[in-house]
Amino acid sequence: MALNLSILYRGPLSSCNYGCDYCPFAKHRETVAELDHDRLALNRFVDWVAGRNGDRISVLFTPWGEALTRRWYREALIRLTNLPPVDRAAIQTNLSCGLEWVERCDKSRLALWATYHPSQIRRDDFLARCRELDRRGVRFSVGVVGLKEQLAEAETLRRELPRHVYLWINAYKPGLGDLTADESHRFEAIDPLYPINTQRHASFGRACRAGRSVISVDGDGTIRRCHFIRDPIANLYEPGFEAALIERPCTNATCSCHIGYVHLDHLRLYPVFEEGLLERIPAGAIWVRESPEFAWNT
Ligand code: SF4
Ligand code: SF4
């Protein structure tokens, strides 16, 4: 039977050109051998996708660190978006790389999940990259970590981003108790889905599509149902892995990360995101309707 599968791919890469002070990958460098290992693993994965004629495959790269500064990830997106089995190829990125390469993609199948790090790039420079993406016709979402000290910056970014671009706020859970009710409301005014992200959703025993129609794959092809449950369920490069793609209840107590809980059936978030599920773009521009506080500039 033909597969309809979303794959969250995270290879061995674990380095970043930025230096966010809360991040283990900040300014971490890898050896040439480690980078070679990552490149070969990625090429193997893309070759695998290329051979899946008859299936429908979507891919979200969720690297440890920043991957678009590496040529082989840009080439992978170019290749993936031009492959017949691929519906969507997306990547989480700090948007620090040049963007000419997107012209070689099938942009109808490309999407970026961009995060703004105010300590690492000037707002105007980040906005210029967003406008360039827009001009080039690329789908993308933008996000900011919901740190108390970044609230005003996030509000300014919201005002200056094109209206049709969704700005999500990732709740900074250790700091939630430090936010006043007014500050929480201001984050929610930016992102109406913020309250969902502030919660650790009870997930033990609950139905979740992770492991059935969406999986996590590492550089060796090891399949896990999601990034948050370590037990492997199969290997992508071994015949018959499809048999592992079955319904099973979640075995973790809670799920608190968007790329996980979005697949919990009872939260009913699939209709909220529809086609933008992988790149975190809600359908129907709900952030515009629900954020009258912002005087949109476009
Ligand atoms: S941009 Fe992302 S990966 Fe890089 S240091 Fe900052 S938080 Fe870490
Ligand atoms: S609820 Fe979260 S932790 Fe549980 S299976 Fe789904 S994605 Fe994984």
Side-chain angles (χ1 to χ4, degrees), residues 136-157:
R136 292 181 184 273
V138 177
R139 280 172 63 81
F140 66 104
S141 67
V142 172
V144 177
V145 178
L147 296 164
K148 187 181 179 89
E149 58 272 25
Q150 293 188 167
L151 172 55
E153 187 63 30
E155 289 177 321
T156 306
L157 184 69

Side-chain angles (χ1 to χ4, degrees), residues 203 208 210 225-226 228-229 250 252 255 260 264:
S203 57
C208 176
R225 59 181 309 190
C226 62
F228 315 105
I229 296 178
C250 179
N252 277 4
C255 191
L264 270 171

Side-chain angles (χ1 to χ4, degrees), residues 99-167:
L99 295 171
E100 302 76 19
W101 60 275
V102 304
E103 297 303 329
R104 291 169 56 210
C105 294
D106 176 343
K107 287 185 273 187
S108 68
R109 293 190 269 171
L110 174 69
L112 301 187
W113 159 318
T115 304
Y116 172 49
H117 299 280
S119 66
Q120 305 297 305
I121 183 170
R122 291 175 55 240
R123 188 194 327 125
D124 284 351
D125 293 338
F126 184 80
L127 279 163
R129 288 165 192 273
C130 292
R131 292 193 188 105
E132 181 177 348
L133 277 181
D134 214 25
R135 212 168 42 244
R136 292 181 184 273
V138 177
R139 280 172 63 81
F140 66 104
S141 67
V142 172
V144 177
V145 178
L147 296 164
K148 187 181 179 89
E149 58 272 25
Q150 293 188 167
L151 172 55
E153 187 63 30
E155 289 177 321
T156 306
L157 184 69
R158 176 60 283 173
R159 284 193 193 89
E160 296 188 8
L161 271 176
R163 177 180 185 167
H164 59 271
V165 174
Y166 175 53
L167 173 59

